Amino acid sequence: MTESHASRTTPDAGARVSLRPVAPEDDEFLLGVYASTRDAELSQVEWAPGQREAFLRMQFDAQRGEYSARFPDAQYEVILLDGRPVGRFWVGRDDEQIRLLDIALLPEAQKQGVGTLLVGRLIEEARETGKALRHMVFLYNPEAKRLYERLGFEVIEDLGAYAHMEWKGTDGGRAGEV
């Protein structure tokens, strides 16, 4: 597979971050990434054998179907750290906005500057194109909301468990310094 973006080095890890398009053989890996994002939440429930896995597959497929319906030309990419798959990066675009549909990293790849680097790339694109940059943040993960606020995003709509956030350009250039 070819990488879709020039790779860069993260300031925290000194590791090479790159993206490549999702391929059919990535399905189980992507399901595993999705499952890791729901682990703390779903661990609170006692599941019958196989029930949790079936629920995760159903939710994963529903999410992917919703994104595909709303943004049929979205980019679905695997995040690579030193060439090793560690997450997913899904971005939709239309005439008015860049929509960060999803960014998720396996736990061992978190807190290394990877997410900041990738969101920084979208901020630069928003600056260059004049488009709004938006993302729905699941409030079950308060660290995520703080990250987006630090990068200059503001809540534009409170949807209960989710905050609809938009980059307002108030990051003082920090996100571009990746």
Side-chain angles (χ1 to χ4, degrees):
M1 297 270 158
T2 60
E3 294 174 5
S4 62
H5 297 284
S7 59
R8 298 196 185 160
T9 301
T10 63
D12 296 346
R16 186 171 165 252
V17 176
S18 56
L19 301 170
R20 69 161 170 79
V22 167
E25 59 269 17
D26 293 319
D27 199 48
E28 289 307 309
F29 167 74
L30 294 171
L31 177 61
V33 171
Y34 177 75
S36 76
T37 68
R38 304 286 304 268
D39 188 55
E41 171 192 11
L42 297 181
S43 292
Q44 298 177 39
V45 176
E46 190 171 322
W47 300 88
Q51 189 178 25
R52 179 178 170 146
E53 293 77 16
F55 176 79
L56 282 164
R57 170 63 74 181
M58 179 186 68
Q59 291 287 297
F60 175 72
D61 289 342
Q63 180 188 61
R64 192 163 41 180
E66 173 67 21
Y67 292 156
S68 294
R70 290 184 56 222
F71 292 92
D73 297 325
Q75 289 179 286
Y76 298 96
E77 297 176 297
V78 173
I79 301 168
L80 304 170
L81 187 61
D82 287 334
R84 182 177 46 90
V86 296
R88 65 185 195 178
F89 190 59
W90 296 356
V91 180
R93 293 170 178 85
D94 60 29
D95 293 339
E96 299 174 9
Q97 69 176 323
I98 302 163
R99 175 69 70 147
L100 175 54
L101 299 171
D102 191 43
I103 182 171
L105 293 162
L106 293 172
E108 62 269 19
Q110 295 173 5
K111 296 182 178 20
Q112 296 184 42
V114 175
T116 300
L117 174 79
L118 295 173
V119 174
R121 291 178 185 177
L122 293 180
I123 287 171
E124 286 306 310
E125 181 182 345
R127 279 187 179 124
E128 291 171 7
T129 63
K131 290 183 179 182
L133 172 56
R134 297 184 179 125
H135 183 46
M136 297 290 273
V137 178
F138 185 42
L139 297 178
Y140 188 77
N141 181 355
E143 287 181 31
K145 184 172 182 269
R146 284 192 298 273
L147 168 68
Y148 291 105
E149 288 171 339
R150 181 175 59 82
L151 293 175
F153 284 75
E154 296 176 13
V155 174
I156 59 172
E157 187 177 16
D158 182 346
L159 300 169
Y162 291 88
H164 188 190
M165 299 186 80
E166 181 174 293
W167 177 73
K168 297 290 190 175
T170 58
D171 68 333
R174 289 188 310 268
E177 297 173 3
V178 290

